[in-house]
Amino acid sequence: MIRLAAFLCGSLFGLGLVVSDMANPARVLAFLDVAGRWDPSLALVMAGALIPSAIAYRWVRARTTPVLAAALHIPNQRQIDQNLVIGAAVFGIGWGLAGVCPGPAIALLATGQAFALVFAAAMVGGMLLHWLFHRFRSTEGSP
């Protein structure tokens, strides 16, 4: 049931990205071009998403247990550390260069566009490099 719910939520998210044209790299790059022909539509979509998100978050936090799981898994770390800053910078640079981030990239895979396939392959490659790097670092100190 959890996987079905995840699939349905992901599909709804992807559909929303496509319908709102937020999976279009040109639209995202126009939003990021504040010194040129700035397109505020992404800001309007983000602002519109805050209302249902805030309502859902309050509803989830008010429950004692989740609907489809045994416990809530909400991060408790509130400290801004080096990993967060570096990860945010890498994400932002990639988003600014390509005009697409992981959510829209996955939604664009359904189109079969070469750009989406290359971006998704690079994204998976980056995840693999991250995993290898952290695996290497964690075994570095062990005998």
Side-chain angles (χ1 to χ4, degrees), residues 1-6 8-9 59 63 65-72:
M1 193 64 171
I2 291 174
R3 289 185 181 170
L4 176 62
L8 292 174
C9 288
W59 178 73
R63 297 180 55 85
T65 59
V67 175
L68 297 175
L72 287 173

Side-chain angles (χ1 to χ4, degrees), residues 14-26:
L15 180 64
L17 289 171
V18 171
V19 168
S20 65
D21 203 30
M22 293 302 117
N24 179 355

Side-chain angles (χ1 to χ4, degrees), residues 32-57:
L32 297 173
D33 187 11
V34 293
R37 297 185 60 180
W38 184 63
D39 179 0
S41 59
L42 180 57
L44 296 172
V45 169
M46 283 192 261
L50 286 174
I51 295 167
S53 178
I55 292 168
Y57 188 77

